[in-house]
Amino acid sequence: MKLASLKEGGRDGTLIVVSRDLAHAVRANGIAATLQAALDDWSNIAPRLNALYAELNDGKAADAFAVDFNKFAAPLPRAFEFVDGSAYLPHVERVRRARGAEVPESFYTDPLMYQAVSAGFIGPRDPVVVVSEDYGIDLEAEVVVVTDDVPMAVTPVQAAGHIQLIGLINDVSLRGLIPAELLKGFGFLQSKPRSALSPVLVTPDELGDSWQGEKLHLPMRTWINGKWFGAAECGVDMQFSFAELVAHAAKTRPLTAGTIVGSGTIANEDTGTGASCLAEQRVVETLRDGKPSTPFLKFGDSLRIEITDHDGASIFGAIEQSITPLVK
């Protein structure tokens, strides 16, 4: 099943069901007004949405309409919680190595995670608005999962059953602001603005054998200004599965339905697959050449983030954004 939200009906959008080929959609009238409402009563609502999804794919859904991603909000325009991990240790290792720091042994057994911005997500075709290029504007292509209600202290095995939807995110980072914030020892704030979700979120069954061990086993494809940037394999070098990340987040508190859990930037030990963020590429260049040669994003730049299936069909739809200055 594929779900999305239109930019209508208020701040939380209007829930729609999208066809498998991403060509048509239908409003979930009478089932659930918003995706958050569906997640709040998932065990009862999901079967009804799935029945509508089957009708849509069979060409039998009344009032179906052609998809226009420009009219899509983020599937969850706002969420109660977004916690972002850093499950790809090649990324962590390179970044720390570049600044002469060692990776603590605990990083290999205990996930890195922080509380991210969830009060609002950018739509998949909305611009990334930034005050200044001097902030060091970066994309971060990640996979996310969305949970139903997760009890406190669940095991990873139990947590796996609470993963209901999967999608992509451009977790925007302002690299120029990060060092000063981390020196305060209190985490990210100004350096992590709002992020963009993929046009649709999908249920695990849509991914077939590409979803195994609570990991997505497909390449994360990224382009900058129409030029290929990377195709890092999501299922390779992921130190912690999504089940482990969800269990980590729920260790001392329950998670509310609609919680988003991120994988962190997709990165492989083999740098030949390219990168999923500019900071990663700049670190590789620094380690290789002594200095970075790839610039951070500038106003007017564009980016594209997408995952396709083995037949080349887009699964989640693409995140396509431009970098735009704030106009006061």
Side-chain angles (χ1 to χ4, degrees):
M1 179 166 56
K2 299 190 176 188
L3 303 175
S5 295
L6 291 175
K7 293 178 178 179
E8 61 179 43
R11 297 177 69 176
D12 294 312
T14 294
L15 177 62
I16 58 174
V17 177
V18 181
S19 62
R20 184 169 287 112
D21 62 4
L22 304 179
H24 296 89
V26 62
R27 290 172 177 81
N29 295 336
I31 300 177
T34 67
L35 181 53
Q36 183 60 55
L39 289 161
D40 285 340
D41 191 21
W42 188 251
S43 62
N44 291 316
I45 296 295
R48 297 172 64 191
L49 292 173
N50 207 38
L52 181 58
Y53 181 62
E55 289 181 7
L56 179 62
N57 286 315
D58 290 340
K60 299 176 181 178
D63 301 319
F65 56 90
V67 161
D68 179 357
F69 288 140
N70 291 304
K71 296 180 179 179
F72 279 32
L76 276 170
R78 54 181 174 171
F80 286 111
E81 194 162 12
F82 170 29
V83 290
D84 200 14
S86 190
Y88 293 87
L89 291 189
H91 174 73
V92 178
E93 291 165 347
R94 288 191 193 106
V95 170
R96 293 181 70 88
R97 195 186 318 147
R99 65 173 189 257
E102 295 292 327
V103 178
E105 285 298 319
S106 63
F107 282 23
Y108 296 92
T109 57
D110 192 34
L112 286 166
M113 188 170 284
Y114 73 97
Q115 193 89 35
V117 176
S118 65
F121 290 93
I122 308 170
R125 295 293 188 274
D126 294 343
V128 177
V129 179
V130 184
V131 172
S132 171
E133 292 177 341
D134 294 337
Y135 288 173
I137 309 163
D138 200 356
L139 75 157
E140 287 194 63
E142 304 182 18
V143 179
V144 295
V145 300
V146 182
T147 72
D148 57 12
D149 286 305
V150 182
M152 181 168 58
V154 292
T155 66
V157 171
Q158 294 168 331
H162 293 282
I163 295 171
Q164 303 301 349
L165 296 168
I166 302 156
L168 311 181
I169 194 168
N170 175 21
D171 180 39
V172 182
S173 291
L174 303 177
R175 301 294 182 184
L177 303 183
I178 287 177
E181 287 203 315
L182 292 184
L183 280 175
K184 295 179 180 180
F186 219 54
F188 303 117
L189 182 66
Q190 295 173 339
S191 55
K192 285 291 189 178
R194 290 185 173 183
S195 300
L197 291 170
S198 54
V200 305
L201 300 175
V202 311
T203 48
D205 60 289
E206 285 292 321
L207 300 171
D209 60 6
S210 295
W211 181 254
Q212 294 184 39
E214 285 69 57
K215 298 179 183 180
L216 180 56
H217 297 267
L218 289 168
M220 175 70 76
R221 303 182 188 278
T222 54
W223 296 261
I224 296 176
N225 294 326
K227 183 179 179 181
W228 180 89
F229 183 67
E233 292 286 346
C234 299
V236 176
D237 300 315
M238 188 178 186
Q239 183 76 8
F240 304 101
S241 71
F242 276 108
E244 292 171 308
L245 293 176
V246 171
H248 178 81
K251 180 176 180 178
T252 60
R253 60 186 178 185
L255 304 181
T256 299
T259 292
I260 298 172
V261 180
S263 65
T265 306
I266 312 300
N268 297 153
E269 191 66 39
D270 177 9
T271 58
T273 60
S276 300
C277 72
L278 290 162
E280 172 85 9
Q281 180 63 26
R282 287 167 61 88
V283 167
V284 171
E285 293 165 351
T286 298
L287 295 173
R288 183 188 65 212
D289 307 324
K291 61 179 181 180
S293 55
T294 299
F296 287 117
L297 296 169
K298 303 295 184 183
F299 295 141
D301 284 347
S302 63
L303 60 91
R304 180 184 177 96
I305 297 169
E306 187 174 28
I307 288 181
T308 57
D309 63 21
H310 298 301
D311 296 321
S314 184
I315 298 173
F316 309 96
I319 297 172
E320 296 183 18
Q321 299 182 282
S322 60
I323 309 301
T324 306
L326 175 67
V327 177
K328 295 183 179 180

